Amino acid sequence: SRGLGDVYKRQAFPAYQSEPYSGYYDNAHNDYVQFAVELGIPATALLGLLVVYCLWLCINTMRTRKTALYQGVAFGCATAIVAMMLHSSVDYSLQAGANSMLFIVVLCLALLTNKLPAPKRVKNGAAKVNGLRGAAYEPNPETRSSQPAVSKL
């Protein structure tokens, strides 16, 4: 079925409201029901499939990628997706712009961790930084001293 939209929802919602309640309720305390009413079941199903696909990508990234950074970000995204899926069943948290934008960023990170190529490695295992070796990855052997470095305050 197609969604009612915000204008029609205001007309249709009171018909399903039980008698003892006298106030006006503008949101269901369930994002899934809210989206189904406003957008329709097909659009809600497509959004749900996108979220489940991103969760599957996170699990796939944690299982198959060898980069610890991508695995860790994928774990964080999977945790955030599961938390938002649970929270959306009891509240309308995605109606707030900041929450929905953050959730979109999490979904994008889930896609990126799965699709980005692994960082390039030099033969000795140090990462290349802008075509040069960074001091943080491999110190210059000529400036290395036998004395431990002491910071001066």
Side-chain angles (χ1 to χ4, degrees):
S1 76
R2 66 179 185 80
L4 296 173
D6 193 41
V7 174
Y8 296 111
K9 180 183 71 173
R10 292 180 188 173
Q11 296 170 355
F13 193 73
Y16 299 101
Q17 186 176 356
S18 57
E19 292 298 323
Y21 300 104
S22 61
Y24 174 72
Y25 299 96
D26 58 346
N27 288 314
H29 280 268
N30 184 321
D31 271 335
Y32 306 119
V33 172
Q34 186 80 25
F35 289 151
V37 169
E38 289 182 359
L39 303 174
I41 293 174
T44 303
L46 284 174
L47 287 172
L49 284 174
L50 173 70
V51 172
V52 170
Y53 174 68
C54 287
L55 181 61
W56 179 81
L57 283 179
C58 289
I59 293 168
N60 188 35
T61 300
M62 288 186 285
R63 291 180 57 223
T64 60
R65 297 295 298 256
K66 302 300 181 212
T67 308
L69 175 66
Y70 291 161
Q71 289 176 331
V73 172
F75 177 75
C77 289
T79 304
I81 291 170
V82 169
M84 188 56 78
M85 289 171 66
L86 289 172
H87 192 256
S88 290
S89 68
V90 295
D91 202 4
Y92 50 94
S93 58
L94 290 175
Q95 300 295 321
N99 291 347
S100 58
M101 288 302 294
L102 181 62
F103 192 57
I104 289 170
V105 168
V106 167
L107 296 178
C108 289
L109 280 173
L111 289 168
L112 287 173
T113 57
N114 189 270
K115 304 297 181 193
L116 282 178
K120 302 285 183 198
R121 298 264 178 197
V122 183
K123 282 186 178 181
N124 65 0
K128 275 196 169 186
V129 179
N130 295 331
L132 303 173
R133 288 184 192 214
Y137 296 106
E138 182 176 296
N140 186 349
E142 296 161 2
T143 60
R144 201 180 300 172
S145 86
S146 60
Q147 298 291 328
V150 177
S151 64
K152 297 180 182 179
L153 298 176

